[in-house]
Amino acid sequence: SNMAFICADAGLNHKEIYVVISHLAQRWEKFKHHTQSSRARQLIGIIEHARIKYPNNAFSVLDTIFEYSPIALLNTDIELDWAIPDMLMSNGVMLMGGPSGIGKSQLSMQFQAHLAMGAPFLGYAIEKPQKVGFFSLEMGDMEVKHLLQSMYPDWSVRFTKEQIELLNENWKIIPFGESLPLNASMGQDIFVNYLENNPDWKGVFVDSVGSAIIGNINDMGTVQPFTNFNDKIRKRYGIFLWYIHHFRKPPPGTKSFGGQEDMYGDQYLTARATSVYTLTKGKGDSLRLKNPKNRHAKEQEPQLIQRVDGLYFEHLGTEDEEVSTLDKVIEQVYKKGDPSTDQTPKPFGSL
């Protein structure tokens, strides 16, 4: 701790302090029984403590704030812009929540792919190619590669040559594979460094909120620095932030229906997001994509989607359309009947 104070007082940045105290911790066999992730959190905590006394002002400068009269503001050419019309603002904060294993990461990655190509997806209009980055904090390179192979076994079948070129050019994956605390200045500096080196990014996906926050996620004092950082980022760089998030464990005997209250952590997380979507089980083997919050557009009707061809998703329709695609096929068969058996249809498996 004393060395961290000395380094901070000397004007070293977070990375430099981390290298120094990490070397000393290894030399003095501190945290030797900790995992790599736990050891990193301990060292980051020491740096954060040092910054309280010797703050780093690298990210504390405010952008210029303008004053307007109402008429002057109305006469500006400022317009609300969308990365995905009526779903995600071009500088919004999205939370994509759901229970573990439901498919949040796969769905978010496919939205990334379609943003990179400028291609519509699941009924959502994506009008032009956009460069996006993906911080995978829960999966390393091996796991992300496996997921990509599962979603797209044969890229040449799923995409055209031009689309593959757009994917390769516009979609950048950072398989971090460990926590990156964005409510702490060291994690923030690393994140900002990526943004500075990729000024053409239009948005960033992060998997997940739990790996982007250090401390008690149920505490507003822990969550607020994270949400404040998001606001600074989207204002300064004009990009959107899409976070994958987990549901809290529901009490015994109850079911989670995809509301904001099902999100794990302090309610400030959803309060500060511009849009919230949740992914839960629907009818049969379908999934329900619900929009419980949309700050600048009408909340959309729940959509039913389904996995096909491995982990790829297709759109079945709105939840109001109670009959699934498969049910419609069966219904048509039974209406038509089978002439060879006096209008009595054969079992579906024998068709």
Side-chain angles (χ1 to χ4, degrees):
S1 297
N2 289 336
M3 181 56 70
F5 275 92
I6 293 171
C7 291
D9 186 28
L12 273 67
N13 62 35
H14 297 313
K15 290 181 182 179
E16 293 166 338
I17 299 175
Y18 188 90
V19 169
V20 172
I21 65 173
S22 177
H23 173 75
L24 291 178
Q26 185 176 7
R27 181 178 175 181
W28 296 335
E29 296 188 345
K30 294 283 187 180
F31 317 121
K32 66 178 182 179
H33 298 300
H34 289 241
T35 64
Q36 182 179 0
S37 178
S38 174
R39 179 174 177 272
R41 285 196 296 270
Q42 293 289 338
L43 295 174
I44 290 170
I46 291 172
I47 296 172
E48 287 300 306
H49 185 61
R51 283 299 180 203
I52 294 175
K53 186 173 182 180
Y54 302 103
N56 179 5
N57 296 320
F59 197 71
S60 63
V61 290
L62 294 175
D63 296 328
T64 303
I65 299 175
F66 296 97
E67 293 181 353
Y68 300 95
S69 69
I71 300 302
L73 182 57
L74 289 171
N75 286 333
T76 66
D77 58 0
I78 301 171
E79 297 290 344
L80 190 65
D81 194 19
W82 298 90
I84 305 175
D86 296 331
M87 181 186 192
L88 176 61
M89 290 171 54
S90 60
N91 68 334
V93 177
M94 156 87 84
L95 288 180
M96 172 63 73
S100 297
I102 196 73
K104 304 181 297 295
S105 296
Q106 297 97 307
L107 182 63
S108 296
M109 288 177 72
Q110 286 170 36
F111 267 108
Q112 293 171 56
H114 285 76
L115 280 163
M117 295 184 295
F121 182 54
L122 299 182
Y124 294 96
I126 299 175
E127 299 171 348
K128 58 184 179 181
Q130 302 170 55
K131 292 182 182 292
V132 295
F134 175 37
F135 281 80
S136 175
L137 307 184
E138 295 195 352
M139 298 181 290
D141 48 12
M142 178 179 64
E143 296 162 291
V144 176
K145 178 182 176 181
H146 176 74
L147 197 56
L148 282 172
Q149 290 174 331
S150 300
M151 289 192 298
Y152 307 123
D154 189 343
W155 287 56
S156 63
V157 172
R158 176 65 64 182
F159 307 115
T160 65
K161 180 181 178 181
E162 291 74 17
Q163 287 176 324
I164 292 174
E165 289 176 353
L166 285 170
L167 283 171
N168 198 48
E169 179 183 352
N170 294 335
W171 186 14
K172 299 305 177 186
I173 300 170
I174 300 96
F176 229 75
E178 59 183 81
S179 62
L180 180 67
L182 299 183
N183 64 330
S185 54
M186 181 177 179
Q188 292 172 358
D189 282 355
I190 293 173
F191 195 81
V192 168
N193 186 59
Y194 272 98
L195 296 181
E196 291 288 345
N197 290 326
N198 295 277
D200 51 358
W201 279 358
K202 300 301 181 183
V204 176
F205 290 71
V206 180
D207 186 9
S208 64
V209 170
S211 295
I213 293 179
I214 187 172
N216 182 7
I217 197 172
N218 291 300
D219 177 46
M220 182 176 175
T222 299
V223 169
Q224 195 170 34
F226 169 76
T227 56
N228 288 345
F229 175 70
N230 289 335
D231 288 342
K232 289 181 180 180
I233 286 294
R234 66 195 190 97
K235 178 183 178 184
R236 175 173 294 187
Y237 296 99
I239 63 172
F240 68 78
L241 297 165
W242 175 310
Y243 286 97
I244 299 167
H245 194 28
H246 297 292
F247 274 5
R248 66 176 75 251
K249 186 176 181 180
T254 63
K255 289 185 176 180
S256 179
F257 294 101
Q260 294 186 63
E261 66 279 1
D262 295 314
M263 294 287 196
Y264 183 64
D266 185 79
Q267 62 181 359
Y268 208 59
L269 284 168
T270 55
R272 293 285 289 274
T274 58
S275 55
V276 176
Y277 279 75
T278 61
L279 191 63
T280 57
K281 287 189 176 296
K283 297 180 179 180
D285 59 353
S286 69
L287 298 172
R288 180 189 296 110
L289 184 62
K290 188 177 179 181
N291 176 212
K293 178 182 179 180
N294 204 328
R295 184 179 294 173
H296 297 291
K298 182 180 177 182
E299 293 174 7
Q300 299 177 2
E301 293 294 325
Q303 305 291 316
L304 292 180
I305 62 177
Q306 189 175 43
R307 284 191 179 100
V308 294
D309 298 334
L311 296 179
Y312 195 77
F313 291 93
E314 71 174 9
H315 187 224
L316 299 180
T318 65
E319 194 173 36
D320 291 338
E321 300 167 2
E322 296 182 356
V323 185
S324 70
T325 302
L326 179 58
D327 291 335
K328 289 179 180 178
V329 173
I330 296 174
E331 182 181 348
Q332 290 173 0
V333 171
Y334 270 75
K335 280 183 178 180
K336 184 176 180 181
D338 187 341
S340 65
T341 56
D342 194 23
Q343 302 300 312
T344 302
K346 295 179 181 180
F348 192 76
S350 65
L351 293 177

